[in-house]
Structure formats: C-alpha cells, structure tokens
C-alpha cells in the first residue's frame, strides 16, 4: 500500500506518468467496493462490533 501512495504522489507531482487512465481507476474502485460489500455480506463476523 505504501508503494501505491508513492506512485500516486509521483504521478500527481508529474514525476512519472499515471499507471492507468481515470476510467480504469474508477472501474477498479467500483470493483473493490463491490468486493468489500460482498465480503461483509458473506462474512459478517469480520465487521467491527459483531
């Protein structure tokens, strides 16, 4: 996760090109959100306070 932050900051500063397009990044975020929601429904014992 630290490397992701480093790459993100480097891309924002213009030190390196972005590793993907905005559209690809949005698709990745939507997929990740769907996965987390699925895991929370499937394994509710992982939720805080359960």
């Amino acid at each position: 996760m630290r490397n992701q932050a480093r790459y993100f900051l480097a891309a924002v500063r213009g030190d390196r090109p972005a590793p993907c397009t905005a559209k690809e990044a949005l698709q990745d975020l939507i997929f990740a959100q769907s996965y987390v929601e699925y895991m929370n429904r499937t394994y509710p014992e992982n939720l805080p306070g359960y």
Side-chain angles (χ1 to χ4, degrees), residues 6-49:
R6 283 188 193 119
Y7 295 147
F8 173 77
L9 292 174
V12 170
R13 284 191 305 262
D15 297 340
R16 64 179 300 146
C20 62
T21 66
K23 183 179 178 180
E24 291 170 329
L26 178 59
Q27 290 171 336
D28 288 346
L29 288 172
I30 291 169
F31 177 80
Q33 180 182 21
S34 296
Y35 177 77
V36 169
E37 290 171 356
Y38 167 79
M39 292 302 289
N40 287 338
R41 283 193 313 271
T42 305
Y43 302 100
E45 66 273 9
N46 293 330
L47 293 174

